[in-house]
Amino acid sequence: MRISLQWLRTYVDVDAAPDAIAQKLTSAGLEVESIEDLGGKFDKFVVGSVTSVTKHPKADKLSLCDVQISATETIRVVCGAPNVEAGQRVPVALVGALIPSNMHDPEGKPFTIAKAKIRGEESNGMICAESELGLSENAAGIMVLDADARIGQPLAEYLGMDDVAFEIGVTPNRPDCLGHIGIAREVASAFGVPLKLPVSVVTETIGDDVAAAASVRIENRVDCPRYAARVIRNISNGPSPAWMQKYLTVAGVRPINAVVDATNFVMLEYNQPLHAFDFDTLAGKAIVVKTAAANEKFVTLDGKERTLPGNALMICDADRAVAVAGVMGGENTEITASTTSVLLESAYFNPVSIRKTSKHLGLSTDASYRFERGIDPSATLDALNRATSLITEMAGGTVCAGVIDVYPVPIEKKSVHVRSSRVNRILGTEIPAADMIGYFTSIGIEVEETAPGELDCIIPTFRPDIDQEIDMAEEAARLHGFTNIDDKMVSEIDFSNKRVSAAVSDHVREWLVASGFNEIVSNSLLDEATASIFSDTLVKLMNPISKEQSVMRPNLSVSLLQTVVHNSNYGTESMRIFEMGRGFTVADAGDTGGPIAGFTERELTGICLTGMAAPKSWTGSERAVDIFDMKGVVTSLLNKIALDKYRFIYYDAQHPLTDQRIGIEINGVYAGYFGRVHPEVCKKLKIETAVFIAELSLEALEETERTFKQYVHVLKYPVVERDAAFIVEKGVPSASIEETIRESGGMLLRSVELFDLFEGKSVGDGMKSVAYSLRFASAERTLTEGEIENAMNAVIAAVTKNHRAVLRTVEMR
């Protein structure tokens, strides 16, 4: 939005410098993108009077001109223009002035005036042509000014270009600031001065009633809630006065004639687009507002025939369409120099309807730009009367008595209740309620304090963006000044919460990729129905993007399985994939470990195997992956990261997500699990092959690597191996026997591995034989037979005691 400072000051008495005004507006949320001093380019240009002209003694086409530039100063200027004459008022560029365009340069580059000798004669300035001033392309001779132009007057002032233009980036939610009055209201509020609205004087002709002269009928009241009109007769439509042309030009609008300029002026003033019809061309002297027929043809003011959509709102007379409502008028009722009577339209159109029509036609105008964002339905008559007053002032004419105003269902002002305590809590401020009342009333909001700190606010219709208390909090913030709000952190999020370092994530990722796995990256949002299969403590979004993205994923298993479903639908059955990301659940009572109170956020690594472990080949038949493949992957990964500080926990009871579920414990802390996805889960997800998943806590892996991982030299001394087989009851977990062996084997025991499991008559009913390989070694010496025997005796004693085991065999390797 381009704003004229001089025009702005007609509504608000502010003498502040342009920079200060720009700073206030930007602080209030109306960013001033640029400030253009329009008179700056005419610095050191003045109005001069040519007092004498003589021929140059050494050049036939040059003249020596004496030019008076003030009451006391006359300068000599060498001029080559053929039309220079004594007695003329002319634009003079003094020494130091920058000429915008050099007519003698092929590229028209600017140059600076300096004292110079031209063919031996001194020249102290330059009399300028319009082309050299950048005002037009006329280079035939010097520019001759009005005879009454004041000598010595700054040229910018004479030309009406001694103004400053602000380019303001108006956000879509502030349509009220697309007019000078709206910006003036913000300036008045910022500087604490009153807003002065224009006064319209309309003299009506008694006996010429507008109701008898014209009629208005609205058939589509949804897209046109209000339509008002006046009729003006006997006008003389010539150019608008210089002051109006100046304001329009500074605002970026080309002057046309008095009637059209008046409508554009009021649009830029009130943010109310108007349209003037040549009243004599309206059939039946009627206005009908209705929806166009599909594919109807219409020629707009720009002379182009357009095909209208079936939902376009049209302004018609008794016989035909005369304007595309809110977008552009028609060629058939255009205002021309010969127009003597006008019907002046001021209406409120549905923003959605105008936007659709404008988009369909590919036609965006100043009017549609404003209607699309929402204008003030209460300003319809004020703008209409203002334009009527201006037209009669500039073009004469008589105004029919009365106004046609069809407004069947008035748009009411909204009421918003504001709690000052709530606003302060949102903003982190301590603004008194009295100050808030002052802020709100300064921008036209009516406020009543019904109780201490309780404010009932009536929102003016020119602010369609304000609906709720939070909108009023925003108004309080910008009017109080964002710079006056303390810069401090107030958040329910704990940003100091420890996160997993990149090093651990990189180690795990590198190992999995090197092991033939493909990494996936999936959305952490999913639908509630799918998520509920995996957890009953879901984190639900208050304002979801869609039903399919309404909850946070509780773990990575759901993402892995969704990927399996997607790929299997496209014929990929064998997959080795992993993902590193976060799982979100509602926290258990007493759990305060997450960054947001009441919620748990875990850093996880998810691994998935499905399909064939080995393809069919001449060496053997194909084999599907099984739980031992997944166990091998997890074991290798843990050996890489956690060394020997982990153990597996074998569960007897089934889990809703997996069967054959095996827990993972690292240094006594639960760190995850692996297992086969339960067939019922696969059935719900329509997965036909067995799927094996693992999920590991990255926090647990990081803690283990940081605390326990140490690098030592390779053993220099021999390793001694012993195999021990025990007969135990079938229900005794082999993992618990392994744990007993590790605890009782002492510092010399390096590793324990289960290598045989046997059940049969030879070991007895309800019994099984488990055999372990034990490896002993020392980093300092070669072990003696006695040390090995003592260690083995301790192991055998502990296993037989703790698990009611019977030693079957002990063998030396």
Side-chain angles (χ1 to χ4, degrees), residues 675-752:
R676 185 181 67 182
V677 178
H678 199 283
E680 288 299 319
V681 175
C682 289
K683 184 177 180 180
K684 289 180 180 179
L685 297 176
K686 298 181 180 179
I687 300 175
E688 297 180 356
T689 58
V691 182
F692 298 87
I693 57 174
E695 200 166 81
L696 295 167
S697 166
L698 284 174
E699 286 100 333
L701 293 178
E702 180 180 48
E703 182 65 22
T704 300
E705 184 177 56
R706 181 182 65 82
T707 308
F708 299 103
K709 190 169 185 179
Q710 298 178 357
Y711 293 95
V712 297
H713 292 292
V714 176
L715 291 173
K716 298 179 181 179
Y717 301 98
V719 175
V720 179
E721 297 186 22
R722 294 286 188 272
D723 294 342
F726 299 93
I727 297 174
V728 295
E729 295 178 356
K730 284 185 179 181
V732 177
S734 59
S736 62
I737 299 174
E738 180 180 325
E739 183 178 358
T740 299
I741 295 173
R742 289 183 183 278
E743 292 175 352
S744 59
M747 297 296 294
L748 300 178
L749 180 61
R750 293 286 174 171
S751 67
V752 180

Side-chain angles (χ1 to χ4, degrees), residues 120-410:
E121 296 293 331
E122 186 176 273
S123 181
N124 298 285
M126 176 178 171
I127 304 175
C128 301
E130 289 184 17
S131 63
E132 292 168 323
L133 296 173
L135 299 177
S136 75
E137 296 181 359
N138 183 6
I142 61 170
M143 181 181 183
V144 180
L145 309 180
D146 294 337
D148 59 353
R150 179 167 53 86
I151 297 173
Q153 181 181 15
L155 183 62
E157 181 181 317
Y158 171 81
L159 295 174
M161 301 184 72
D162 54 334
D163 202 350
V164 173
F166 297 108
E167 192 66 47
I168 300 178
V170 179
T171 53
N173 67 316
R174 292 301 305 274
D176 59 302
C177 291
L178 292 174
H180 279 69
I181 289 177
I183 297 297
R185 184 181 291 108
E186 294 294 324
V187 173
S189 173
F191 286 91
V193 297
L195 176 68
K196 299 183 298 181
L197 293 176
V199 177
S200 301
V201 179
V202 178
T203 303
E204 300 178 343
T205 302
I206 304 300
D208 187 7
D209 189 32
V210 71
S215 65
V216 172
R217 185 174 82 253
I218 302 176
E219 293 185 2
N220 184 345
R221 296 185 177 184
V222 173
D223 292 339
C224 180
R226 187 176 195 181
Y227 193 101
R230 274 190 179 275
V231 175
I232 310 172
R233 305 183 191 272
N234 306 315
I235 65 169
S236 178
N237 190 23
S240 59
W243 66 267
M244 178 173 283
Q245 293 192 33
K246 168 190 168 183
Y247 284 157
L248 291 175
T249 301
V250 173
V253 175
R254 178 174 62 88
I256 298 175
N257 56 53
V259 174
V260 175
D261 290 357
T263 61
N264 285 333
F265 182 88
V266 173
M267 177 183 69
L268 296 174
E269 182 179 52
Y270 275 91
N271 186 40
Q272 170 68 59
L274 305 172
H275 188 71
F277 299 96
D278 188 322
F279 188 56
D280 293 331
T281 64
L282 288 176
K285 301 298 183 281
I287 291 291
V288 181
V289 186
K290 61 182 181 179
T291 304
N295 299 319
E296 181 180 340
K297 307 293 184 181
F298 182 71
V299 180
T300 49
L301 278 171
D302 55 6
K304 296 181 180 179
E305 183 180 76
R306 303 181 185 275
T307 302
L308 302 171
N311 58 357
L313 187 68
M314 300 298 294
I315 309 300
C316 307
D317 61 14
D319 299 332
R320 63 200 169 153
V322 295
V324 182
V327 181
M328 185 179 283
E331 194 176 51
N332 50 14
T333 55
E334 180 181 7
I335 298 295
T336 66
S338 60
T339 298
T340 58
S341 297
V342 300
L343 183 142
L344 196 58
E345 165 196 288
S346 180
Y348 176 83
F349 299 120
N350 186 323
V352 175
S353 171
I354 304 304
R355 186 180 302 114
K356 287 180 178 179
T357 301
S358 176
K359 289 279 187 182
H360 180 89
L361 296 178
L363 180 61
S364 179
T365 61
D366 288 336
S368 67
Y369 182 82
R370 287 165 169 79
F371 279 122
E372 287 174 12
R373 284 154 180 78
I375 63 170
D376 180 10
S378 300
T380 303
L381 292 184
D382 290 338
L384 181 63
N385 290 332
R386 173 68 162 159
T388 302
S389 175
L390 289 171
I391 289 172
T392 54
E393 177 186 325
M394 297 184 296
T398 58
V399 181
C400 291
V403 179
I404 299 175
D405 184 17
V406 182
Y407 196 13
V409 183

Side-chain angles (χ1 to χ4, degrees), residues 306-578:
R306 303 181 185 275
T307 302
L308 302 171
N311 58 357
L313 187 68
M314 300 298 294
I315 309 300
C316 307
D317 61 14
D319 299 332
R320 63 200 169 153
V322 295
V324 182
V327 181
M328 185 179 283
E331 194 176 51
N332 50 14
T333 55
E334 180 181 7
I335 298 295
T336 66
S338 60
T339 298
T340 58
S341 297
V342 300
L343 183 142
L344 196 58
E345 165 196 288
S346 180
Y348 176 83
F349 299 120
N350 186 323
V352 175
S353 171
I354 304 304
R355 186 180 302 114
K356 287 180 178 179
T357 301
S358 176
K359 289 279 187 182
H360 180 89
L361 296 178
L363 180 61
S364 179
T365 61
D366 288 336
S368 67
Y369 182 82
R370 287 165 169 79
F371 279 122
E372 287 174 12
R373 284 154 180 78
I375 63 170
D376 180 10
S378 300
T380 303
L381 292 184
D382 290 338
L384 181 63
N385 290 332
R386 173 68 162 159
T388 302
S389 175
L390 289 171
I391 289 172
T392 54
E393 177 186 325
M394 297 184 296
T398 58
V399 181
C400 291
V403 179
I404 299 175
D405 184 17
V406 182
Y407 196 13
V409 183
I411 298 173
E412 301 292 340
K413 295 179 180 179
K414 290 172 287 190
S415 177
V416 176
H417 184 71
V418 177
R419 298 160 291 175
S420 61
S421 58
R422 173 62 176 163
V423 171
N424 281 319
R425 189 160 61 253
I426 292 171
L427 303 180
T429 57
E430 296 180 0
I431 305 172
D435 289 357
M436 289 188 193
I437 294 173
Y439 293 149
F440 299 153
T441 55
S442 72
I443 57 172
I445 297 174
E446 302 172 36
V447 183
E448 179 184 358
E449 188 171 14
T450 57
E454 301 288 323
L455 312 178
D456 281 343
C457 301
I458 306 301
I459 311 303
T461 50
F462 60 75
R463 290 300 302 273
D465 58 307
I466 299 178
D467 285 306
Q468 305 174 50
E469 185 180 35
I470 191 66
D471 299 323
M472 295 298 292
E474 180 183 353
E475 292 301 296
R478 70 180 191 84
L479 297 173
H480 180 67
F482 294 109
T483 56
N484 295 324
I485 299 176
D486 290 340
D487 186 9
K488 58 185 179 181
M489 178 65 72
V490 179
S491 175
E492 293 184 358
I493 301 176
D494 179 10
F495 290 98
S496 64
N497 189 265
K498 179 185 174 184
R499 311 310 302 167
V500 173
S501 68
V504 173
S505 300
D506 289 344
H507 289 167
V508 175
R509 179 179 289 107
E510 289 169 3
W511 188 91
L512 287 168
V513 171
S515 300
F517 284 84
N518 294 309
E519 183 175 10
I520 66 169
V521 178
S522 61
N523 198 328
S524 58
L525 299 175
L526 68 157
D527 65 282
E528 185 175 352
T530 301
S532 62
I533 300 174
F534 298 84
S535 175
D536 55 2
T537 56
L538 299 177
V539 178
K540 300 178 183 179
L541 302 186
M542 294 180 64
N543 187 24
I545 299 172
S546 66
K547 184 178 180 181
E548 289 71 28
Q549 296 181 328
S550 60
V551 299
M552 305 293 287
R553 65 182 176 196
N555 50 46
L556 296 185
S557 299
V558 58
S559 299
L560 293 168
L561 292 176
Q562 285 182 323
T563 303
V564 169
V565 171
H566 177 79
N567 283 275
S568 62
N569 288 339
Y570 286 89
T572 301
E573 296 181 353
S574 297
M575 282 169 265
R576 295 169 65 89
I577 57 176
F578 76 95

Side-chain angles (χ1 to χ4, degrees), residues 740-808:
T740 299
I741 295 173
R742 289 183 183 278
E743 292 175 352
S744 59
M747 297 296 294
L748 300 178
L749 180 61
R750 293 286 174 171
S751 67
V752 180
E753 291 183 6
L754 174 68
F755 71 89
D756 184 60
L757 175 64
F758 173 75
E759 296 179 8
K761 293 181 180 181
S762 59
V763 296
D765 293 337
M767 308 298 285
K768 65 181 178 181
S769 171
V770 287
Y772 296 89
S773 175
L774 287 66
R775 303 176 81 243
F776 298 90
S778 171
E780 300 173 352
R781 66 186 186 281
T782 300
L783 297 179
T784 66
E785 186 63 33
E787 289 175 313
I788 300 300
E789 187 175 348
N790 290 337
M792 284 299 299
N793 289 337
V795 167
I796 293 168
V799 172
T800 55
K801 178 182 178 181
N802 295 346
H803 303 288
R804 294 188 296 178
V806 175
L807 179 64
R808 188 180 183 192

